[in-house]
Amino acid sequence: MDGEEAVVAVEAAPAPALGEPMDIMTALQLVLRKSLAHGGLARGLHEGAKVIEKHAGQLCVLAEDCNQPDYVKLVKALCADHNVSLISVPSAKTLGEWVGLCKIDSEGKARKVVGCSCAVVKDYGEDTEGFHIVQEYVKSH
């Protein structure tokens, strides 16, 4: 078994240099990682729906490339019902990497990334610059 697996490497956006404004996707990535580190992140439809139903969800992230229309409709309806902010990201693989559904190799690159169509933040963890950018984005949209 020579073991060459098909590997999907999703490049993480580099952190902006000091003084440069952070874009919403980089800020969202930082918020999701902090939330994961503090145990305040629900990944997937089942976990996410439970958190939203308990009124514990503060922010929901939904992948735009989800091919299940019922899934998208359910998540949007739950968020609207329970006043949870909803942000869309372009790719489920990218969202999967951001919420920790991957292996990190010795070079720091993500390997074996699993797609994640929905993630719900129930605890932001620390108060960071990325958190403030995400909050401003949510208020303006």
Side-chain angles (χ1 to χ4, degrees):
M1 214 168 126
D2 54 45
E4 286 299 317
E5 295 182 11
V7 176
V8 178
V10 181
E11 280 296 315
L18 290 175
E20 285 185 31
M22 193 182 300
D23 72 318
I24 183 62
M25 289 301 146
T26 307
L28 184 60
Q29 179 181 1
L30 292 174
V31 165
L32 289 173
R33 288 193 189 262
K34 284 287 183 198
S35 178
L36 178 64
H38 286 269
L41 191 62
R43 302 173 287 195
L45 180 64
H46 186 79
E47 284 182 36
K50 286 195 301 188
V51 169
I52 293 172
E53 285 286 323
K54 290 179 183 174
H55 297 282
Q58 299 178 22
L59 173 71
C60 182
V61 185
L62 182 66
E64 291 173 356
D65 65 350
C66 179
N67 56 4
Q68 299 287 332
D70 292 342
Y71 188 111
V72 174
K73 194 187 301 185
L74 175 65
V75 171
K76 287 182 177 180
L78 281 172
C79 288
D81 247 14
H82 298 285
N83 297 323
V84 176
S85 306
L86 182 67
I87 295 180
S88 293
V89 294
S91 165
K93 289 282 187 189
T94 305
L95 182 58
E97 181 188 351
W98 290 354
V99 299
L101 295 176
C102 63
K103 300 284 183 193
I104 305 296
D105 67 6
S106 59
E107 299 164 2
K109 301 233 189 277
R111 303 283 182 214
K112 297 184 180 179
V113 180
V114 177
C116 178
S117 293
C118 175
V120 179
V121 175
K122 53 188 173 186
D123 176 19
Y124 286 106
E126 299 170 12
D127 200 14
T128 60
E129 180 189 353
F131 169 72
H132 294 297
I133 292 171
V134 170
Q135 289 300 321
E136 289 301 316
Y137 179 83
V138 167
K139 287 178 187 171
S140 65
H141 285 82

